[in-house]
Amino acid sequence: MRPARTARNPQTGEPVEIAERRVVKFRPGARFQDLVAGRRAMPESGNCIQKDPKTPKVARP
């Protein structure tokens, strides 16, 4: 939360009350954190945060 505060109107110079507000925060995902920390190698090309390929399923008889 961003706290309430008193700001100033730049045109008139009079004080203006600004209410408390919710602010969105950036929360990086696990793959991005691994990439930044060096635990995951940067790919040659394409999206660097793409999912790992799925393992092929074994056909059932």
Side-chain angles (χ1 to χ4, degrees):
M1 294 288 276
R2 188 177 288 168
R5 63 190 175 98
T6 303
R8 184 181 62 85
N9 182 336
Q11 262 187 334
T12 63
E14 72 180 59
V16 178
E17 293 298 319
I18 298 179
E20 183 178 62
R21 296 208 97 130
R22 291 178 185 238
V23 181
V24 177
K25 291 185 179 180
F26 174 70
R27 291 184 293 196
R31 285 187 179 83
F32 182 71
Q33 288 178 352
D34 289 344
L35 184 69
V36 171
R39 294 184 293 256
R40 179 180 283 266
M42 185 76 117
E44 295 295 322
S45 65
N47 186 354
C48 62
I49 317 289
Q50 60 194 4
K51 293 182 178 179
D52 293 325
K54 292 184 177 180
T55 55
K57 292 184 179 181
V58 178
R60 294 183 183 178

